[in-house]
Amino acid sequence: MKKALIIIGIIIVVLAAAYYGMRMYTKSSSPEATAVYDKGGLKIQVEYCRPSKKGRVVFGQLEPYGKVWRTGANEATEITFTQPVSFGDKPVAAGTYTLFTIPQPDQWTVILNSELDQWGAFNYNEAKDVARIQVPASQTPQVTEMFTIDFVDANNRVDMLLAWDQTKVAIPIGVGK
């Protein structure tokens, strides 16, 4: 009995070390980042991982057009709103959501999904979508090496900007809707 407990203990330690090692390895290539908007009583926080271009063609090859993307690397990106907002033209309650996108050359589908703590988009469930909007995608002359999420104030709203390679997408978020 004692020998079995020791073996089980060793297996647990080895599995925990392997999990931690794999997590550190994936984070070294695509580090964690946080984008925050905090103004006028609204706080938006986005937790994501930043993959790099590394000389690859990103959209259309590395991230295929027409397929659900986790909008970053590793775990699916999560976004938190501290108060109700309009996400594009869709009302969204305060809370935390998973952010997915479906890239296309000229427009993207942007999705807020209620299922949290997902790895990638492997278990994405459309039935748990809270909001889906279409936004235009634009091509830029400059290359963004690492996937980046940022915020800029716009007319009576904030735009969440997604940029990677030579593609940029602005997602309008209305305050207090």
Side-chain angles (χ1 to χ4, degrees), residues 34-170:
T34 302
V36 177
Y37 176 84
D38 192 354
K39 189 173 181 183
L42 172 65
K43 183 174 181 181
I44 305 170
Q45 183 167 311
V46 182
E47 301 288 335
Y48 69 109
C49 290
R50 300 183 67 200
S52 296
K53 177 176 167 50
K54 297 181 184 173
R56 303 172 290 187
V57 175
V58 174
F59 297 108
Q61 290 189 15
L62 179 64
E63 297 302 335
Y65 289 128
K67 289 190 73 177
V68 174
W69 178 44
R70 68 185 108 188
T71 317
N74 304 322
E75 301 91 357
T77 295
E78 291 186 356
I79 184 168
T80 301
F81 305 106
T82 59
Q83 66 185 43
V85 297
S86 62
F87 190 76
D89 61 349
K90 309 285 186 201
V92 173
T96 301
Y97 304 93
T98 305
L99 178 69
F100 292 106
T101 49
I102 303 173
Q104 293 288 0
D106 297 325
Q107 86 173 5
W108 285 23
T109 301
V110 184
I111 305 163
L112 293 181
N113 186 277
S114 64
E115 189 169 342
L116 303 176
D117 300 319
Q118 295 189 57
W119 179 268
F122 304 109
N123 295 315
Y124 165 74
N125 181 351
E126 185 175 345
K128 296 194 176 193
D129 287 355
V130 173
R132 274 182 168 242
I133 62 170
Q134 303 290 321
V135 295
S138 61
Q139 298 302 303
T140 62
Q142 71 277 8
V143 172
T144 302
E145 177 63 27
M146 290 184 81
F147 175 64
T148 302
I149 298 177
D150 202 1
F151 294 97
V152 295
D153 283 311
N155 296 331
N156 297 319
R157 68 172 199 255
V158 59
D159 284 346
M160 180 170 60
L161 303 178
L162 311 180
W164 195 18
D165 196 355
Q166 290 182 282
T167 300
K168 184 179 275 189
V169 174

